[in-house]
Amino acid sequence: MGQITILVAIILTVVMNTQSTFAVGNASERKVYVVYLGEKEHDDPASVTESHHQMLWSLLGSKESVHGSIVYSYRHGFSGFAAKLTESQAQQLSELPEVVHVIANTLYELTTTRTWDYLGLSPGTSKSLLHKADMGRKIIVGVIDSGVWPESEMYNDKGYGPIPSRWKGSCESGELFNGSIHCNRKLIGAKYFVDGLVAEIGDIDRTQNPDYLGLGRGTVRGGAPGVRLAIYKACWLQSGSCSGADVLKAMDEAIHDGVDVLSLSLGPKVPLYSEIDVRDLISVGAFHAVAKGIPVVAAAGNDGPSAQTIANVAPWILTVAATTLDRSFPTAITLGNNITILGQAIFGGPELGFSDLVYPQSGDCQKLSANPNNTMDGKVVLCFTRETSGTPTGDAITSVINAGGLGVIIATNPTHLLSPTRDFPSVAVDFELGTDILFYIRSTRSPIVKIGASRTLVGRIVATKVATFSSRGPNSISPAILKPDIAAPGVNILAATSLNDSSGVNGFSMKSGTSMATPVVSGIVVLLKSLHPHWSPSAIKSAIVTTAWKTDPSGEPIFADGSSRKLADPFDYGGGLVNPEKAAKPGLVYDMATHDYVLYLCAAEYSDISISRVLGKATVCPNPKPSVLDLNLPSITIPNLRDEVTLTRTVTNVGPLNSVYKVVIDPPMGVTVSVTPTTLVFNSTVRKLSFTVSVTTTHRVNNGYFFGTLTWSDNVHNVAIPVSVRTQILQRYYDEN
C-alpha cells in the first residue's frame, strides 16, 4: 500500500493543499472531470452506475466510448462519476438538469508517547474514559491518506477480538501489499485509488519502547488503542500528488464499507469554494457522511499564522488546529565566553566540541550558498531568517554541509518545524538569542561554540502554544461559522514510520502539522462514539468544543505563536485545547441534524435547486430565509454587528435528568450580551430547551473582533461556548487606513 508514516496517536494523515489542474492544449484534448449529481436516486449500486453509463452514452454515442471515458462511478454515499472528457463535452453535461456541478479534476500536493498523558487520558483506572469506552474496540475509523506501512508493530492485533460483523469492506492487494497477509483484526480494511491520477498525468511508480535519536522516550499508545482501522490510499508519494477524483472515490467507498469515523487531513487554500461546490471535495463528501451519522474530522491547514487562512470550514466538519505539548528539546549552545544558551533542536548527538563559529557575509539562511565555501568549512554557521516555513532551515543545512561546515544555528521566528538531524547539529533560536550570539562573534577575533545533544524536557516549565503554522480564522466563506473548532497537540509528535522514511530512525520519526493534531481528535471521537453510540456527529463536536481547556492542563495560559506571541483566542484554537475526560460528560450538547444544515444552506443564499440536488429530493427554503446566526453551533460569531442582534440556541440535556443550569456571561469588550431565560430546568420530560441571546455594541467605529464566553453551569458541568463579535458600522468595508 505504499511507504508511509503512521501516526502513533491512531493514524497518520497527510496535510494537503489544493491546486487546480488547468487544461492545456486545444479544446478537443480530453482530461478528467468530476460530475457530481448529489444524493443517489437508487439504493442499488449497480443501478446507480448504470445511470452514469446511460448519461455518458447519450453524450458519447457508444458503450465502447463510455468504457474508454469513465474513471470512477460514485455510487454509495452520493451519486456522480469521474470521466475523461473534452471541454465541450463537460459543458454539455453541466447543462443537464440533474447535474449539480461539473468541474475539472483537482490535484492535491502532499504538503505518541507524551500526547495522551498531557491531555489527561490515562488507562490507569477503571473510571477512566479509555476503560469506559472499552479502548474504542467497537469503532472503525476510515483514514484517507497516502497508505499504510503494515509491518509496523503499531498494527499488531494481539488481544483483538473478531472483526465486527457489520464491516463490509475488504483488503485489496497491491504492489508491496498482500491483503491476505498484511491485514488482521486491527487493520481490517485497505484499498487504493489511483485511476484518477493516472488518467490525469499518466502511469506512476507505485512501489515506493520507542527511541528516536534518544529523544521522546516513553510508552507508545494510541488515543483509542482498540480501534479498528481501514486505510484508503488516495495519495501517491512518488508523484507528490493525490487526485480529487481518487479522494472522492475513497470517501464514497468508506461510507459504503461501514466506517464509524472519517479522519483526513486534506484541505484547500484560500480562496475557498462554497460548501456544496464539488470543487471542495472534502466538504461535499463530508456532508453525505455526516448525514449518515459518520463524524468527519479534518485538519485546519498549515498556512498560519495569517488570519483567514483556515480550511475545511463547513459547519458539519470538525476542524482541528495544532498546539505544542508540554515537551521540548532544549539543546545547549555554549559560547567561548562560557555563556550557555538553550536553543531547540532534534539533534541525536554526539556532542560537537568547541569549534569555530562564524556569521558569514551573506547571513541570510536561504543565501548561505552565496558565501565562499572556505568561510564555512570546518565551522558552525550562524544565520538569520524571517521566513516561518521550513524551507530556510533545509536550505541552510544543505548549504553548510556542502561547504564542509560542522553545524548551523538558525535565528528565526518560532516555526515549530524542527529538522531532525544526527551528527550534524541544526539548532533554532529566536532573534534575541541569535543577536546575543552575533554580538559575541563580533566581540572576539576567534569565536568558538560547543553544541550538546538535545535533551527532553517535560512538564509545567514548557508553555503550551498554538503552533505558528496552524491556520487561523476567521472563516473566509461564512464568517459567522467559527473555525477552527478545537485544538490538539500537533508539534513534534513521535510517530511510527516506514523504515524507508528518510527522516525516521528505528521505525519512528518526529512529525509536525495539523495533520498530527487531526488523528488525536479522531481518537477522542472514537472514544466518545464508543461511550455514546447514539450521539450525532454534531453532539460529539459540541461535547468536545464546550468542555475544552482555555488554559493548558496545568492551568497556565495558552499563547498563539506568530509574528508576535499573544494570548490565544477562538480564531486560533476554537473552543480551546481538547479535554478528553470532560468531553465524555458534557452535561448539555448543542445538537443538529441534516435539516439544520439545510437551513444553514438556505441562510447562506444557496438556491433551492442546488440544495435539492445535493439532498436528492425537492427542497424549498422557508420564506423569510433563516439567519446564519441561528445555526445551532457550540459557538456564537457575529462578524458585522451594528444594531442589536438576537439569535437562538437549543441545548439537549445528556447529563442527570433533573438538572438546573444558570447562565454565566463573560461578554466581549464593549459588547452587551443578555440571555433569556437565565435558568434552564430539565427533568424526565424536558430534555431540550431553547434560549435567546441579544447582543449590542457600544463601539461606534469599525473594529476588530473581541472575544468572550457564554456558559451554562449546574455547578458540576460548565458548558462554555466562545463568543466572537466584530462591530461593523460601515458594512462590507475593507479597512487599511
Side-chain angles (χ1 to χ4, degrees):
M1 289 291 290
Q3 302 161 353
I4 182 60
T5 304
I6 302 299
L7 177 65
V8 172
I10 309 177
I11 25 93
L12 167 63
T13 47
V14 185
V15 175
M16 304 164 192
N17 295 316
T18 185
Q19 172 179 301
S20 296
T21 303
F22 299 98
V24 294
N26 57 50
S28 64
E29 182 179 348
R30 294 201 310 169
K31 57 185 292 187
V32 177
Y33 288 85
V34 175
V35 181
Y36 174 59
L37 304 172
E39 187 61 52
K40 53 188 172 60
E41 297 181 357
H42 308 281
D43 290 329
D44 178 22
S47 298
V48 177
T49 297
E50 179 59 27
S51 69
H52 300 160
H53 286 199
Q54 288 292 336
M55 182 178 290
L56 272 176
W57 181 84
S58 65
L59 174 73
L60 302 178
S62 70
K63 289 185 177 180
E64 292 76 13
S65 297
V66 169
H67 288 294
S69 171
I70 198 161
V71 178
Y72 286 123
S73 174
Y74 309 123
R75 56 186 188 166
H76 300 300
F78 42 87
S79 178
F81 58 88
K84 290 180 284 186
L85 302 166
T86 65
E87 186 176 342
S88 63
Q89 290 169 339
Q91 178 63 33
Q92 291 178 63
L93 283 176
S94 70
E95 295 170 356
L96 297 177
E98 60 267 42
V99 173
V100 179
H101 287 296
V102 177
I103 61 135
N105 188 27
T106 301
L107 292 184
Y108 291 82
E109 292 181 348
L110 292 171
T111 20
T112 131
T113 58
R114 177 63 186 164
T115 303
W116 303 109
D117 290 330
Y118 168 70
L119 294 177
L121 191 61
S122 171
T125 70
S126 59
K127 295 182 179 180
S128 71
L129 174 58
L130 277 173
H131 281 281
K132 289 180 179 178
D134 194 26
M135 306 292 179
R137 287 188 174 93
K138 297 179 181 179
I139 302 299
I140 302 167
V141 174
V143 184
I144 300 175
D145 64 4
S146 49
V148 63
W149 187 259
E151 292 84 352
S152 171
E153 185 61 23
M154 300 310 298
Y155 287 101
N156 190 316
D157 67 349
K158 183 179 179 180
Y160 277 69
I163 295 172
S165 58
R166 58 190 171 82
W167 174 242
K168 296 185 289 185
S170 62
C171 279
E172 297 179 356
S173 295
E175 295 180 46
L176 299 182
F177 185 87
N178 187 323
S180 61
I181 295 175
H182 289 135
C183 283
N184 55 26
R185 290 171 296 177
K186 181 171 185 176
L187 178 60
I188 66 173
K191 296 180 178 180
Y192 67 92
F193 308 92
V194 71
D195 292 351
L197 186 60
V198 169
E200 195 71 53
I201 67 173
D203 206 4
I204 62 173
D205 177 8
R206 310 179 196 184
T207 63
Q208 350 175 322
N209 187 2
D211 183 3
Y212 178 74
L213 298 177
L215 304 171
R217 288 187 175 93
T219 301
V220 175
R221 58 184 174 90
V227 72
R228 318 286 181 145
L229 296 175
I231 308 297
Y232 299 86
K233 179 178 174 66
C235 308
W236 299 83
L237 292 175
Q238 292 82 354
S239 66
S241 298
C242 335
S243 161
D246 295 333
V247 171
L248 201 58
K249 183 61 176 176
M251 298 183 78
D252 185 43
E253 287 291 315
I255 293 171
H256 165 266
D257 291 344
V259 303
D260 300 301
V261 178
L262 267 174
S263 181
L264 57 161
S265 297
L266 303 89
K269 281 179 173 289
V270 173
L272 304 176
Y273 296 111
S274 72
E275 296 98 328
I276 58 171
D277 189 323
V278 75
R279 285 170 289 190
D280 187 351
L281 300 172
I282 297 173
S283 178
V284 172
F287 180 89
H288 292 285
V290 168
K292 293 170 175 59
I294 303 170
V296 178
V297 187
N302 290 349
D303 291 321
S306 297
Q308 297 181 316
T309 53
I310 191 78
N312 292 319
V313 298
W316 44 84
I317 294 175
L318 179 52
T319 309
V320 185
T323 70
T324 63
L325 287 162
D326 62 342
R327 177 178 67 188
S328 65
F329 304 104
T331 305
I333 303 170
T334 303
L335 305 177
N337 59 5
N338 289 323
I339 291 178
T340 296
I341 291 170
L342 293 179
Q344 290 289 321
I346 303 177
F347 171 48
E351 175 184 280
L352 177 66
F354 277 108
S355 306
D356 290 341
L357 174 64
V358 63
Y359 178 68
Q361 182 174 357
S362 178
D364 186 322
C365 293
Q366 290 184 280
K367 299 178 181 178
L368 291 180
S369 59
N371 297 294
N373 284 351
N374 60 6
T375 62
M376 298 186 288
D377 186 17
K379 300 179 178 68
V380 175
V381 178
L382 170 69
C383 68
F384 285 74
T385 179
R386 292 186 297 273
E387 296 290 328
T388 56
S389 69
T391 302
T393 298
D395 290 346
I397 291 173
T398 300
S399 296
V400 175
I401 289 177
N402 289 342
L406 302 179
V408 62
I409 300 171
I410 298 174
T412 179
N413 284 313
T415 64
H416 308 296
L417 296 172
L418 299 176
S419 295
T421 58
R422 183 188 290 275
D423 299 324
F424 183 89
S426 168
V427 189
V429 296
D430 62 22
F431 288 150
E432 179 182 346
L433 295 175
T435 302
D436 288 344
I437 297 171
L438 178 59
F439 284 0
Y440 160 70
I441 292 173
R442 290 172 173 171
S443 72
T444 179
R445 290 184 177 181
S446 303
I448 57 174
V449 67
K450 179 175 68 174
I451 300 178
S454 301
R455 298 183 295 112
T456 302
L457 182 62
V458 174
R460 292 192 178 188
I461 197 170
V462 181
T464 299
K465 300 172 286 293
V466 177
T468 303
F469 58 75
S470 188
S471 291
R472 311 297 165 91
N475 183 336
S476 63
I477 287 183
S478 185
I481 308 300
L482 177 65
K483 290 291 175 173
D485 295 299
I486 197 68
V491 175
N492 293 329
I493 304 297
L494 186 60
T497 182
S498 156
L499 296 177
N500 293 333
D501 185 343
S502 59
S503 67
V505 176
N506 299 327
F508 290 88
S509 181
M510 289 290 186
K511 302 291 183 181
S512 295
T514 51
S515 58
M516 296 292 97
T518 299
V520 172
V521 174
S522 297
I524 295 165
V525 170
V526 165
L527 298 178
L528 296 182
K529 198 165 180 64
S530 298
L531 197 62
H532 306 289
H534 301 300
W535 279 10
S536 68
S538 60
I540 290 173
K541 178 200 282 192
S542 173
I544 288 173
V545 172
T546 60
T547 59
W549 280 299
K550 306 302 184 292
T551 65
D552 73 7
S554 68
E556 294 291 333
I558 297 175
F559 284 82
D561 270 343
S563 56
S564 62
R565 185 171 292 173
K566 67 177 182 66
L567 283 173
D569 61 49
F571 293 149
D572 301 312
Y573 63 12
L577 177 65
V578 65
N579 185 340
E581 292 286 350
K582 288 287 188 181
K585 296 180 179 180
L588 305 175
V589 295
Y590 293 78
D591 203 1
M592 285 188 284
T594 303
H595 174 70
D596 297 285
Y597 295 125
V598 172
L599 292 179
Y600 161 72
L601 295 175
C602 291
E605 302 295 335
Y606 294 112
S607 69
D608 292 352
I609 294 175
S610 295
I611 297 172
S612 298
R613 288 170 179 169
V614 170
L615 296 177
K617 60 183 179 182
T619 302
V620 178
C621 289
N623 189 16
K625 289 189 175 181
S627 168
V628 173
L629 298 178
D630 285 330
L631 185 63
N632 203 40
L633 293 167
S635 61
I636 295 173
T637 306
I638 304 175
N640 52 1
L641 181 63
R642 181 171 59 185
D643 304 315
E644 183 178 31
V645 167
T646 300
L647 54 94
T648 302
R649 289 290 185 272
T650 300
V651 287
T652 302
N653 183 22
V654 294
L657 289 180
N658 297 305
S659 298
V660 178
Y661 285 83
K662 295 185 180 296
V663 72
V664 180
I665 301 171
D666 177 19
M669 188 179 77
V671 173
T672 301
V673 179
S674 60
V675 174
T676 305
T678 58
T679 302
L680 301 177
V681 181
F682 298 93
N683 53 44
S684 59
T685 59
V686 179
R687 300 294 301 275
K688 286 187 177 184
L689 287 171
S690 297
F691 60 93
T692 60
V693 182
S694 296
V695 185
T696 58
T697 179
T698 61
H699 299 289
R700 290 295 172 260
V701 297
N702 283 27
N703 57 26
Y705 282 90
F706 292 98
F707 305 98
T709 56
L710 189 160
T711 305
W712 289 102
S713 177
D714 66 352
N715 296 322
V716 175
H717 307 92
N718 293 302
V719 188
I721 63 173
V723 178
S724 310
V725 179
R726 180 178 64 179
T727 300
Q728 292 281 278
I729 303 301
L730 185 60
Q731 301 283 305
R732 297 184 180 275
Y733 173 69
Y734 172 55
D735 188 359
E736 201 183 49
N737 62 0

